[in-house]
């Protein structure tokens, strides 16, 4: 009997692992789709006959839709379960990728981006929710990190590999390949994820849940964390997913694949950074670590901007422009510095009562992705008015301001 029970337990563990891997592949697809413009913005803009800066602002509809859909999607998982919600989201992702790939102008492309924003909004929550229901606290910590790492592989795919595809087959191929991948992931989820009964934990409407999350986010204990969350993830994702490619190709003269290689190194830093920050977190005060890392990120962004032609660093060193190797080092260091952002989740749980801890986490998560949308749309206008170096300086200033507000509101932590 013991051997049979052990075999059954082993089968159950393997089944759960395969289910989590299938769902995590959905998150990987989400990060791939989110960062396609980084290596193809110029070609998209030429096809649509608009300025790249205008298209950059237009792509902000993706993170706006992503942020708006998160709480309703979370409520749907409580009501209907992970499997049906995940399959519905994957179907929407396939449709959104197809619409984006066949877009004939800014309006149809924006429609595809809205569909993708809504459909991918729950791709991280699905595996996290299943893991939280099935695993102990210790194992959940391990798997949450694994899910995030698997998801960030999508950004690796959208660096050099996507640059190669775009160079040889055009920017639309990135969306068509994503649509095919979405179908494959949907089949995997259908086959591997169990159809568990839904848990009706909160029967209030999505609107009332949204209002409660917003109220908590504006409360005194969380204001500093929300201020930093609004600019933290935004800085790394907008740099990686939108402006990094144009900066390297237009200002530094790299080819699309060379730029993709540098963005790939940036992504690897974003993958290993949370592990390093987690080890340092045990030895350093969390508030000081979070603030110090983000202030360092602001300085690094400013140094990157000032390496442009006729800017301070280039003039100081007597060169026309700082070489691409300079940017490579800064990209890696920025990826490591901004990896402190997940610590804001841990701080939020320390600052509120246990009964509202879940809503506090939702408030931080909402601030992260709302900040991405705001940063993406704002930097498009900055680029149109003042150029790419000004975009990096703007992001550095935003990160500095968010860090200072964070320090001001967390003095007692």
């Amino acid at each position: 009997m013991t051997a049979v029970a052990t075999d059954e337990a082993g089968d159950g563990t393997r089944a759960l692992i395969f289910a989590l891997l299938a769902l995590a592949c959905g998150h990987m697809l989400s990060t791939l789709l989110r960062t396609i413009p980084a290596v193809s913005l110029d070609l998209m803009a030429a096809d649509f006959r608009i300025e790249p800066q205008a298209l950059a602002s237009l792509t902000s509809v993706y993170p706006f839709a992503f942020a708006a859909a998160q709480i309703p999607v979370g409520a749907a998982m409580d009501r209907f379960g992970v499997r049906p919600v995940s399959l519905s989201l994957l179907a929407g992702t396939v449709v959104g990728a197809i619409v984006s790939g066949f877009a004939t102008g800014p309006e149809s492309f924006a429609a595809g981006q809205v569909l993708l924003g809504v459909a991918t909004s729950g791709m991280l929550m699905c595996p996290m929710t299943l893991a939280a229901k099935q695993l102990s606290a210790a194992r959940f910590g391990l798997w949450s990190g694994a899910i995030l790492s698997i998801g960030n592989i999508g950004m690796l795919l959208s660096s050099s590999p996507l640059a190669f595809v775009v160079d040889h087959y055009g920017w639309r191929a990135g969306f068509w390949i994503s649509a095919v991948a979405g179908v494959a992931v949907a089949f995997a989820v259908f086959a591997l994820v169990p159809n568990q009964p839904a848990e009706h934990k909160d029967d209030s409407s999505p609107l009332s849940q949204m209002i409660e999350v917003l109220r908590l986010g504006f409360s005194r204990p969380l204001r500093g964390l929300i201020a930093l969350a609004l600019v933290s993830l935004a800085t790394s994702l907008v740099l990686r997913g939108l402006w990094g490619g144009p900066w390297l190709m237009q200002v530094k003269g790299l080819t699309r694949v060379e730029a993709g290689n540098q963005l790939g190194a940036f992504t690897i830093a974003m993958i290993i950074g949370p592990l390093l920050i987690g080890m340092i977190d045990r030895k350093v005060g969390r508030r000081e670590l979070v603030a110090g890392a983000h202030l360092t990120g602001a300085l690094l962004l400013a140094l990157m901007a000032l390496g442009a032609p006729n800017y301070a660093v280039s003039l100081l060193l007597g060169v026309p422009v700082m070489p691409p190797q300079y940017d490579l080092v800064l990209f890696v260091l920025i990826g490591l510095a901004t990896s402190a952002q997940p610590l804001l989740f841990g701080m939020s749980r320390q600052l509120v009562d246990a009964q509202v801890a879940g809503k506090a986490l939702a408030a931080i998560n909402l601030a992260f992705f709302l900040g991405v949308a705001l940063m993406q749309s704002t930097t498009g206008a900055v680029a149109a008015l003042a150029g790419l170096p000004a975009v990096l300086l703007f992001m550095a200033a935003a990160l500095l301001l968010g860090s200072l507000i964070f320090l001001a509101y967390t003095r007692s932590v």
Side-chain angles (χ1 to χ4, degrees):
M1 291 292 289
T2 303
V4 173
T6 302
D7 288 342
E8 289 179 352
D11 290 342
T13 300
R14 282 192 293 272
L16 177 60
I17 289 173
F18 283 128
L20 290 173
L21 289 174
L23 292 169
C25 285
H27 179 42
M28 179 172 65
L29 182 61
S30 169
T31 61
L32 167 63
L33 284 161
R34 188 186 304 143
T35 50
I36 285 177
V39 293
S40 54
L41 188 69
D42 56 332
L43 298 177
M44 291 180 186
D47 260 14
F48 298 152
R49 294 183 175 85
I50 63 173
E51 291 296 316
Q53 296 87 348
L55 182 59
S57 294
L58 183 65
T59 60
S60 65
V61 298
Y62 186 124
F64 271 120
F66 190 105
Q70 284 198 71
I71 292 178
V73 167
M77 273 192 281
D78 278 343
R79 292 171 186 263
F80 305 112
V82 170
R83 186 172 183 259
V85 170
S86 178
L87 290 171
S88 299
L89 294 176
L90 285 164
T93 300
V94 171
V95 172
I98 291 172
V99 172
S100 296
F102 282 100
T104 56
E107 296 80 7
S108 53
F109 184 71
Q113 292 293 286
V114 170
L115 282 171
L116 286 174
V118 173
T120 60
S121 64
M123 293 302 190
L124 176 59
M125 284 190 286
C126 285
M128 289 293 193
T129 300
L130 182 64
K133 290 179 178 179
Q134 297 290 316
L135 299 173
S136 65
R139 294 183 68 201
F140 174 72
L142 172 66
W143 269 98
S144 62
I147 289 165
L148 289 170
S149 294
I150 292 169
N152 282 340
I153 293 172
M155 285 192 284
L156 280 179
L157 295 175
S158 69
S159 54
S160 302
L162 179 64
F164 177 84
V165 169
V166 171
D167 265 346
H168 287 79
Y169 305 104
W171 65 266
R172 298 175 189 274
F175 288 104
W176 297 334
I177 291 171
S178 298
V180 173
V183 173
V185 174
F187 275 114
V189 168
F190 182 81
L192 298 171
V193 177
N195 193 15
Q196 298 174 325
E199 297 179 11
H200 299 270
K201 291 183 178 179
D202 190 347
D203 288 328
S204 60
S205 69
L207 178 61
S208 64
Q209 292 177 39
M210 176 73 80
I211 292 171
E212 178 61 20
V213 168
L214 293 176
R215 185 199 64 76
L216 189 60
F218 282 111
S219 66
R220 179 69 172 75
L222 291 187
R223 283 177 198 165
L225 277 66
I226 294 295
L228 187 52
L230 282 168
V231 295
S232 175
L233 185 66
T235 299
S236 55
L237 286 191
V238 172
L239 180 62
R240 169 60 188 85
L242 186 60
W243 295 117
W247 171 263
L248 292 170
M249 290 186 284
Q250 296 173 22
V251 178
K252 297 306 175 84
L254 297 186
T255 66
R256 199 175 307 278
V257 172
E258 288 171 341
N261 290 337
Q262 289 216 14
L263 294 177
F266 183 22
T267 304
I268 291 172
M270 293 170 65
I271 291 172
I272 66 175
L275 301 175
L276 298 176
I277 292 289
M279 293 181 347
I280 299 172
D281 180 41
R282 301 174 185 176
K283 302 177 181 179
V284 181
R286 180 167 289 177
R287 174 177 179 266
E288 291 74 18
L289 177 57
V290 170
H294 285 90
L295 288 170
T296 300
L299 174 62
L300 295 168
L301 272 167
L303 289 173
M304 183 179 285
L306 297 176
N310 300 315
Y311 276 70
V313 173
S314 298
L315 293 173
L316 183 64
L317 296 179
V319 296
V321 61
M322 291 301 291
Q325 293 83 355
Y326 173 78
D327 300 270
L328 175 60
V329 172
L330 290 175
F331 270 124
V332 170
L333 293 176
I334 290 168
L336 295 174
T338 55
S339 293
Q341 59 209 200
L343 297 181
L344 293 173
F345 285 119
M347 290 189 70
S348 72
R349 299 194 66 172
Q350 296 173 344
L351 293 172
V352 299
D353 295 333
Q355 61 266 30
V356 293
K359 288 186 173 63
L361 294 175
I364 298 294
N365 207 34
L366 182 61
F368 275 141
F369 290 103
L370 180 61
V372 173
L374 293 171
M375 182 79 77
Q376 196 159 317
S377 57
T378 306
T379 53
V382 172
L385 291 172
L388 292 179
V391 168
L392 300 186
L393 290 172
F394 176 84
M395 290 197 290
L399 206 53
L400 173 62
L401 179 61
S403 300
L404 294 177
I405 295 174
F406 169 81
L407 285 170
Y409 275 98
T410 56
R411 287 175 183 166
S412 60
V413 178

